[in-house]
Amino acid sequence: MEGQLQTRNVPNLTEIELAAIESGNNLADGHARYELTASQQKIINQLGEMYALAAEASPALLDQKAQSAFLTAVGQHSAMAGAEVLSCYSSSVAMEITARSLYTSGVRRVALIHPTFDNIPDILRGAGMDLTPMSEDSVMAGSGRLPAGAEVLFITTPNNPTGQVLLPEALTHWARECASKDAVLVLDSSFRGFDERAQYDHYAILVQEGCRYIIMEDTGKLWPTLDLKIGFLAFPRDERLPLHRIYTDILLGVSPLLMLLVQRFAEDAQDGGFSELHRFIRSNRALLRKRLSGIPATSFPDADSRISVERLALPAGFTGSDMRHALCERGVHVLPCRQFYWAEPEAGERYIRLALSRPPEMIRTAAAAICACIERG
Amino acid sequence: MEGQLQTRNVPNLTEIELAAIESGNNLADGHARYELTASQQKIINQLGEMYALAAEASPALLDQKAQSAFLTAVGQHSAMAGAEVLSCYSSSVAMEITARSLYTSGVRRVALIHPTFDNIPDILRGAGMDLTPMSEDSVMAGSGRLPAGAEVLFITTPNNPTGQVLLPEALTHWARECASKDAVLVLDSSFRGFDERAQYDHYAILVQEGCRYIIMEDTGKLWPTLDLKIGFLAFPRDERLPLHRIYTDILLGVSPLLMLLVQRFAEDAQDGGFSELHRFIRSNRALLRKRLSGIPATSFPDADSRISVERLALPAGFTGSDMRHALCERGVHVLPCRQFYWAEPEAGERYIRLALSRPPEMIRTAAAAICACIERG
């Protein structure tokens, strides 16, 4: 099995997540699976009335309000003024539309951050792109050049699984570099709701540097809304890629009820909900780190991460793939990190990834299972 | 403008639908836009409780119940036993996954029914397929051979916009023809809920003939649920196309709330809801035909259609594209049929398409506007 790990027999991360979804101790996928806060519960209690409201309202107005509320809540104040924003079923659908638009326009060469969640390279390759890895450290450092011939630079920020954030100076550098080469800077910002350091106004910098850009924004990772969500696809109004056209190949729009739901949750987030969410994740992260602090030779490489997943580096002699199976036998589901390292899988074997957007009991159970697995060797 | 109609400046049908969506007299898109029935309203009134139920239940079980309820309601009794069924955000997402799976496996040559809704050829071509048109009449007649080299036969049944249905004998013929050439038979059955003649057990025939198949089922056109919907992607468990893998590139699953909603609406449909829906569409169709019966040289070419859209053939001297613009000026939005005729656009210029899933007042307004436009010449 392990010998075949580079072939199509290796499960992708979503396949592993699917297998875990029915488990009581599912720390595999990054979706939000915990209790609604009191104010979120209040919104959900009004779902019936919201349906009636959404049925009466103008879809375009609802759409614009959802986009504006969300983008404002995550600090993207220049987005609505300068960008065309398309509401998609999810950020992965936004990614698929992006990949297809690149292909249709003859673009093939994409420089992509390494590591990152495997559906990004899979979607890009599936649409015919040639990928060149760029190490996360060099991307985040914000120095250096685009690889020769790259027509697109694709950065996940905050990155998954590491939580590393592209800071304003680094964004400015890459925007300038892309502008000078007429390359498109693509940002997947699905996790930015978790980290205020990723909430400076990206659109303002991109416009100022005259850079072609595509940004994927996502409500899907933040709130325990049973996967009722919207992925936003944002780009300059004068962008020549056929993003709008390919969007209409796939959808006419998302449900007006989802637009209203996203608006309400975004308003709640701005009104204290994000602070509550950040406290919740911080507390789960501290809990996990504390429970594992006694285990020698394990460590948390992403000291500074604030997103809703956490990497754990395993002691020498353990691999993430084996550890995943061992934990599975104890009814605890996590992700191995091999698949995140899409250009160099072995480099990911030192790590597993755990979801923190879970009830604290589940974090405790997972920590205990990890301790038991490592102590048993 | 008209001179450029074969270029990318021609709007696709969804772009025209988008422009109409804000209009009071939008008969452009095929989405269900009318009042909920009493029993449907009852379901929507329980949305809050359903959310709580969906949050507690097993997603896999909910998914299976939604699929089973829907497939049973549309007569596909063998589907759950024999097929793998994947729940997608929409039937277009199911189509995109299909197209990407074909491409990944090296398939390129697709025989596609002509005419049909333009996002089907657009998605297939966008994913790199070479298309050969097969006339609807020859497809529905169920005789003849696959075009030389075709690796896939793609049929929309009931077809959009004509409402023509692939009957059991014709399905058997094409299943046998595809099986003999190891070709994949792809069916888009999004409109079958409207027409009992399309509700015989397709899966039983396909299995009996030993045919590779992919079927797209859709809840999205049937019910006025504010575009809360699921598209199902069904195929034999031993199909070798990487459909499951590419599905997981794009999604982990649909919302459990949508699964429960689809289950409830499907149960309601089986319990009299479909009969009510069919009466409603039949009555709107009769109304439209009656209101336009006085206009010489117009006709309804799809005498037998039962789906929720209707084609109108215009008098000589009128084109669908011009008529669309003229109606637009009167605040009435319809689709020109040129774009459905993806291999021979001029052949579609005789027709416009009107949505019947609307309140009767809107049908009356549209009929009056059409009369006025034609009488004015």
Side-chain angles (χ1 to χ4, degrees):
Chain A
M1 187 70 188
E2 294 294 298
Q4 305 175 349
L5 269 177
Q6 268 294 69
T7 77
R8 291 303 278 175
N9 291 326
V10 190
N12 67 27
L13 295 168
T14 307
E15 286 172 324
I16 299 174
E17 290 173 357
L18 264 174
I21 221 167
E22 290 296 303
S23 154
N25 292 299
N26 163 23
L27 288 83
D29 67 71
H31 295 230
R33 303 184 188 280
Y34 51 89
E35 299 253 310
L36 294 159
T37 65
S39 55
Q40 288 172 342
Q41 185 63 58
K42 237 189 208 165
I43 300 172
I44 294 297
N45 291 345
Q46 296 165 352
L47 220 43
E49 294 97 298
M50 286 166 63
Y51 187 99
L53 277 175
E56 289 305 311
S58 142
L61 193 61
L62 282 178
D63 203 12
Q64 192 250 315
K65 281 182 172 177
Q67 294 173 357
S68 173
F70 184 76
L71 290 163
T72 304
V74 294
Q76 304 309 302
H77 302 287
S78 305
M80 292 301 287
E84 176 159 6
V85 184
L86 300 176
S87 298
C88 305
Y89 299 128
S90 69
S91 62
S92 295
V93 169
M95 185 117 52
E96 176 75 13
I97 292 167
T98 299
R100 283 267 316 279
S101 301
L102 294 170
Y103 182 80
T104 301
S105 302
V107 173
R108 294 293 180 273
R109 284 166 301 176
V110 177
L112 172 63
I113 190 168
H114 186 268
T116 200
F117 196 82
D118 67 351
N119 87 327
I120 301 175
D122 286 348
I123 286 179
L124 290 169
R125 281 176 176 148
M129 297 298 120
D130 294 323
L131 305 183
T132 306
M134 277 186 77
S135 83
E136 179 181 71
D137 287 344
S138 69
V139 168
M140 298 306 180
S143 60
R145 298 275 151 262
L146 269 181
E151 299 159 282
V152 174
L153 172 59
F154 193 121
I155 301 174
T156 314
T157 173
N159 197 16
N160 179 1
T162 63
Q164 280 209 48
V165 173
L166 190 72
L167 295 174
E169 301 68 33
L171 176 63
T172 305
H173 170 80
W174 291 120
R176 202 167 287 168
E177 173 72 4
C178 285
S180 77
K181 294 178 171 152
D182 196 35
V184 184
L185 182 54
V186 182
L187 303 179
D188 177 347
S189 300
S190 293
F191 281 88
R192 79 155 112 228
F194 292 106
D195 194 332
E196 285 173 2
R197 295 168 304 177
Q199 296 179 13
Y200 64 92
D201 190 342
H202 290 49
Y203 296 81
I205 291 178
L206 293 163
V207 168
Q208 182 195 302
E209 299 300 331
C211 171
R212 295 173 67 193
Y213 67 84
I214 299 172
I215 306 191
M216 281 151 253
E217 310 272 0
D218 190 15
T219 78
K221 311 294 187 293
L222 296 172
W223 305 311
T225 45
L226 295 186
D227 276 328
L228 300 170
K229 62 187 174 186
I230 301 179
F232 297 114
L233 180 62
F235 50 90
R237 290 184 205 286
D238 61 355
E239 173 51 47
R240 60 185 185 267
L241 288 171
L243 291 153
H244 192 281
R245 181 73 173 217
I246 289 177
Y247 174 83
T248 63
D249 281 352
I250 299 188
L251 68 163
L252 183 61
V254 301
S255 169
L257 181 63
L258 299 188
M259 297 170 187
L260 190 53
L261 187 73
V262 162
Q263 182 196 332
R264 296 271 173 95
F265 268 73
E267 286 164 357
D268 178 72
Q270 212 175 358
D271 197 25
F274 269 153
S275 308
E276 198 166 344
L277 174 63
H278 298 166
R279 274 196 302 275
F280 177 73
I281 298 294
R282 195 161 56 234
S283 151
N284 276 347
R285 175 168 273 120
L287 174 64
L288 178 71
R289 291 184 179 180
K290 186 165 165 234
R291 292 279 165 141
L292 293 177
S293 61
I295 315 232
T298 61
S299 62
F300 295 95
D302 308 314
D304 227 23
S305 174
R306 300 188 193 168
I307 68 172
S308 60
V309 297
E310 176 83 339
R311 268 196 312 172
L312 173 69
L314 302 168
F318 289 85
T319 68
S321 302
D322 290 343
M323 179 59 83
R324 175 214 157 199
H325 287 294
L327 286 169
C328 223
E329 282 170 19
R330 293 170 182 270
V332 169
H333 297 265
V334 303
L335 288 187
C337 283
R338 180 183 184 95
Q339 287 88 333
F340 288 93
Y341 289 73
W342 55 272
E344 194 194 351
E346 289 303 332
E349 279 293 12
R350 280 194 58 207
Y351 312 102
I352 59 173
R353 192 198 80 168
L354 298 107
L356 300 174
S357 48
R358 295 295 188 276
E361 315 79 87
M362 213 180 276
I363 309 281
R364 278 188 210 102
T365 306
I370 293 169
C371 290
C373 285
I374 293 181
E375 279 162 9
R376 186 150 308 186
Chain B
M1 187 69 188
E2 295 293 299
Q4 305 176 345
L5 269 178
Q6 269 295 70
T7 76
R8 292 302 282 175
N9 290 325
V10 190
N12 66 27
L13 294 167
T14 307
E15 286 172 325
I16 298 174
E17 290 172 358
L18 264 175
I21 220 166
E22 290 296 302
S23 153
N25 292 299
N26 162 24
L27 287 84
D29 67 73
H31 295 228
R33 304 183 187 282
Y34 51 91
E35 299 251 310
L36 293 160
T37 65
S39 55
Q40 288 172 345
Q41 185 64 59
K42 237 188 208 165
I43 300 172
I44 294 297
N45 290 346
Q46 295 163 354
L47 222 41
E49 293 97 300
M50 286 166 66
Y51 187 98
L53 277 176
E56 289 304 312
S58 140
L61 192 62
L62 282 178
D63 202 12
Q64 193 250 315
K65 282 182 170 178
Q67 295 174 356
S68 174
F70 184 76
L71 290 163
T72 304
V74 295
Q76 304 309 303
H77 302 288
S78 305
M80 291 301 287
E84 177 159 7
V85 184
L86 300 176
S87 298
C88 305
Y89 299 128
S90 70
S91 61
S92 295
V93 168
M95 184 118 51
E96 176 75 14
I97 292 166
T98 299
R100 281 267 317 278
S101 300
L102 294 170
Y103 182 80
T104 301
S105 303
V107 174
R108 294 293 180 275
R109 285 165 302 177
V110 177
L112 171 64
I113 191 167
H114 185 268
T116 201
F117 197 83
D118 68 351
N119 87 325
I120 300 175
D122 286 348
I123 286 178
L124 290 170
R125 281 176 176 148
M129 298 298 120
D130 294 324
L131 304 183
T132 306
M134 278 187 77
S135 84
E136 177 180 71
D137 287 343
S138 69
V139 168
M140 298 305 180
S143 59
R145 298 274 152 265
L146 269 182
E151 299 158 281
V152 173
L153 172 58
F154 193 119
I155 301 174
T156 315
T157 172
N159 197 15
N160 179 3
T162 65
Q164 281 209 48
V165 173
L166 190 72
L167 295 173
E169 300 69 33
L171 176 63
T172 306
H173 170 81
W174 291 120
R176 204 166 287 169
E177 172 72 3
C178 285
S180 77
K181 292 178 174 155
D182 196 35
V184 184
L185 182 53
V186 183
L187 303 179
D188 178 347
S189 299
S190 293
F191 280 89
R192 77 157 111 225
F194 292 106
D195 193 332
E196 285 173 1
R197 295 168 304 178
Q199 295 180 13
Y200 63 91
D201 190 342
H202 290 49
Y203 295 81
I205 293 179
L206 293 163
V207 168
Q208 183 194 302
E209 299 300 331
C211 171
R212 295 173 66 191
Y213 68 83
I214 299 171
I215 305 190
M216 281 151 253
E217 311 273 358
D218 189 16
T219 78
K221 311 293 187 293
L222 296 172
W223 304 311
T225 44
L226 296 187
D227 278 329
L228 301 170
K229 63 188 172 185
I230 301 180
F232 298 113
L233 180 62
F235 50 90
R237 290 184 204 284
D238 60 355
E239 172 52 44
R240 59 183 186 267
L241 288 170
L243 292 151
H244 191 282
R245 180 75 174 214
I246 289 176
Y247 174 84
T248 61
D249 282 352
I250 299 187
L251 67 163
L252 183 62
V254 302
S255 169
L257 181 64
L258 299 188
M259 297 171 186
L260 190 53
L261 187 73
V262 162
Q263 182 196 333
R264 297 271 174 97
F265 268 73
E267 287 164 356
D268 179 73
Q270 214 176 357
D271 196 27
F274 268 154
S275 308
E276 197 165 343
L277 174 63
H278 298 164
R279 275 196 301 278
F280 177 74
I281 298 294
R282 195 160 58 233
S283 153
N284 275 348
R285 175 168 272 121
L287 175 63
L288 179 71
R289 291 183 179 181
K290 187 163 165 235
R291 292 281 164 137
L292 293 177
S293 62
I295 315 232
T298 60
S299 65
F300 295 95
D302 307 313
D304 230 21
S305 173
R306 300 187 193 167
I307 67 172
S308 60
V309 297
E310 177 83 339
R311 268 195 313 172
L312 173 70
L314 303 168
F318 289 86
T319 67
S321 302
D322 289 344
M323 179 59 83
R324 175 214 157 198
H325 287 293
L327 286 169
C328 222
E329 281 169 19
R330 291 169 185 270
V332 170
H333 297 264
V334 303
L335 289 188
C337 283
R338 179 184 185 94
Q339 287 88 333
F340 289 93
Y341 289 73
W342 55 271
E344 194 193 353
E346 287 304 329
E349 278 294 12
R350 282 192 58 206
Y351 312 103
I352 58 172
R353 192 198 80 167
L354 298 107
L356 299 174
S357 47
R358 297 292 189 275
E361 315 80 86
M362 213 180 277
I363 309 281
R364 282 189 207 99
T365 306
I370 292 168
C371 290
C373 284
I374 292 181
E375 278 161 8
R376 185 152 306 188

